[in-house]
Amino acid sequence: MIHTRLHSNKQSAAQAVAREIADLIKIRSKSGKPTVLGLATGSTPLPLYAELIRLHREEGLSFRSVLTFNLDEYEGLGADHPQSYRFFMEANLFRHLDIPAANIRIPDGLAKDAARHCADYEAALRDAGGLDLQILGIGRNGHIGFNEPPSAIDSRTRRITLDALTRRDNAVFFGDSTQIPQGALTMGVATILEARRVELLAFGEGKAEIVARALNETPSAVCPATWLQHHPACTFHLDAAAARDL
Ligand code: F6R
């Protein structure tokens, strides 16, 4: 079952989720355990990342014991490409924290053998003990990560062709829509569902329709976010606009 939590605005949602992450890191590091976080890119998690940076700077929250696995990366884009997710994560989160570089994993958009790279990514995640908490946004077509429709419940980290709507929605970041890669590497639905907790954030009326579908439709590959209904500890953090159709 998916829990929904309504917040007065995206800043207060970001504060609530950042506080959960901080509590988790503190509890686990007290007993000498790392915290394994699954992270997303896009505009939705930006206030959350700003709040985590604030907690680090102003409240001394340390990320030294944190391991991160990002959901996805554009095929063909390397770390120095300003639209790569690696670049995004460095600019908006990692460079502002004390997380060791060796603790950060993001699928490599330049991997020569994508299938092998994706299998290694799954293995690294397993070796790390699995995800303690996964942050998600949601695409207007119901994608989570870049699990475009149709994505099966048992899908794993793999190469995927991006949907036309996703390429249109993300065109703003590239200036010229012809520059958007055709493909991406993404964690699978099964990979995401194995996270012990899932916190999905959705803000603004552009997400209202898909949020209602994700919560109310019978789970199927047609709307991959519906698979989250099978997760035992998944919360949708919404502002009033995103919750409009509930
Ligand atoms: C990003 C990701 C995507 C985004 C989704 C929403 O790593 O996995 O699923 O979360 O496309 O994007 P925004 O937040 O830009 O609306």
Side-chain angles (χ1 to χ4, degrees):
M1 205 194 98
I2 300 175
H3 302 273
T4 52
R5 199 167 151 193
L6 191 61
H7 299 271
S8 47
N9 54 47
K10 54 184 165 182
Q11 276 71 30
S12 53
Q15 279 163 15
V17 177
R19 189 56 65 191
E20 285 184 36
I21 292 174
D23 290 346
L24 186 66
I25 294 172
K26 283 181 206 156
I27 288 169
R28 292 186 62 83
S29 65
K30 245 185 214 150
S31 48
K33 293 184 193 139
T35 304
V36 186
L37 299 179
L39 299 178
T41 58
S43 43
T44 306
L46 284 173
L48 168 65
Y49 295 160
E51 179 63 11
L52 290 175
I53 293 166
R54 192 195 68 75
L55 289 175
H56 171 63
R57 285 193 182 142
E58 295 176 16
E59 297 185 19
L61 177 67
S62 174
F63 289 78
R64 275 191 291 274
S65 65
V66 173
L67 307 176
T68 63
F69 286 81
N70 262 77
L71 283 165
D72 41 19
E73 179 60 281
Y74 286 114
E75 187 178 44
L77 303 194
D80 53 354
H81 191 292
Q83 267 69 46
S84 75
Y85 285 166
R86 163 72 69 169
F87 192 99
F88 174 100
M89 290 306 298
E90 288 295 335
N92 292 298
L93 187 65
F94 297 141
R95 91 158 57 119
H96 309 284
L97 304 177
D98 60 347
I99 184 166
N103 291 11
I104 296 168
R105 288 218 177 221
I106 301 181
D108 180 1
L110 299 178
K112 294 248 167 357
D113 182 344
R116 170 92 189 261
H117 179 69
C118 291
D120 289 348
Y121 202 75
E122 289 272 342
L125 190 44
R126 262 195 315 276
D127 289 349
L131 295 163
D132 292 307
L133 186 150
Q134 173 68 54
I135 298 297
L136 291 178
I138 185 169
R140 289 193 303 141
N141 61 0
H143 73 215
I144 47 174
F146 271 145
N147 290 285
E148 302 283 35
S151 281
I153 191 168
D154 59 357
S155 55
R156 290 279 165 191
T157 303
R158 69 201 183 287
R159 192 256 173 209
I160 195 156
T161 299
L162 293 173
D163 189 286
L165 180 62
T166 300
R167 294 185 71 234
R168 206 160 54 236
D169 279 351
N170 291 358
V172 291
F173 302 107
F174 285 82
D176 172 1
S177 63
T178 62
Q179 302 298 308
I180 302 187
Q182 305 278 345
L185 304 182
T186 183
M187 278 189 202
V189 173
T191 325
I192 293 169
L193 289 178
E194 282 167 6
R196 288 180 273 283
R197 257 158 80 182
V198 175
E199 310 292 341
L200 182 145
L201 284 68
F203 308 127
E205 63 176 4
K207 298 290 171 76
E209 197 182 320
I210 195 62
V211 163
R213 284 186 58 202
L215 290 166
N216 298 325
E217 270 183 17
T218 302
S220 83
V222 173
C223 180
T226 54
W227 294 128
L228 295 168
Q229 293 175 31
H230 292 307
H231 195 280
C234 174
T235 303
F236 277 23
H237 297 267
L238 309 171
D239 64 2
R244 182 196 66 196
D245 295 351
L246 303 183

